[in-house]
């Protein structure tokens, strides 16, 4: 029983979701680094908007990932929606990171 989960499948979903959440946090930190560099060069309001957007997403993902450490799931299907959301967010931010890095 890991993270309060009663079975192996539920534990696996929680672990994978937490790993994806941490990956998303690192991607957002990278985006903040890129956007900060852009802001220092251009001083544009667009860059400020990107910084605020990435900061809000970073805070949201820190809180979301932290709640998975304290949540207790009784069945695998209780965590599958959050797993899907964090997976799609991770994919989208990976694409954004690749585009922003170039």
């Amino acid at each position: 029983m890991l993270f309060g989960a009663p079975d192996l499948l539920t534990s696996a979903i929680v672990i994978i979701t937490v790993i994806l959440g941490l990956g998303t946090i690192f991607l957002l930190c990278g985006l903040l680094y890129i956007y900060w560099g852009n802001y220092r060069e251009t001083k544009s309001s667009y860059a400020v908007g990107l910084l605020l957007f990435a900061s809000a997403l970073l805070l949201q993902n820190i809180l979301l990932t932290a709640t998975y450490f304290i949540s207790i799931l009784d069945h695998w299907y209780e965590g599958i929606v959050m797993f899907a959301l964090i997976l799609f967010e991770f994919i989208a931010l990976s694409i954004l990171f690749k585009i922003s890095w170039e």
Side-chain angles (χ1 to χ4, degrees):
M1 184 150 103
L2 186 62
F3 298 118
D7 61 13
L8 186 60
L9 181 59
T10 306
S11 295
I13 289 172
V14 170
I15 291 169
I16 293 169
T17 303
V18 168
I19 291 170
L20 285 172
L22 293 173
T24 301
I25 290 168
F26 285 119
L27 283 171
L28 286 165
C29 288
L31 285 171
L32 281 171
Y33 175 78
I34 292 168
Y35 296 156
W36 178 252
N38 289 344
Y39 173 73
R40 286 190 0 222
E41 290 177 13
T42 63
K43 303 286 188 208
S44 73
S45 59
Y46 180 72
V48 172
L50 289 173
L51 281 168
L52 292 174
F53 174 75
S55 297
L57 269 179
L58 179 62
L59 179 62
Q60 181 253 345
N61 275 283
I62 289 171
L63 295 173
L64 182 69
T65 303
T67 59
Y68 251 72
F69 281 108
I70 59 173
S71 69
I72 298 174
L73 302 177
D74 293 325
H75 303 286
W76 67 268
Y77 52 82
E78 293 174 350
I80 201 72
V81 171
M82 192 55 64
F83 169 75
L85 291 174
I86 202 85
L87 177 65
F88 291 130
E89 184 176 12
F90 181 81
I91 292 168
L93 287 172
S94 297
I95 294 167
L96 182 61
F97 184 82
K98 183 181 182 324
I99 292 169
S100 297
W101 189 258
E102 296 174 348

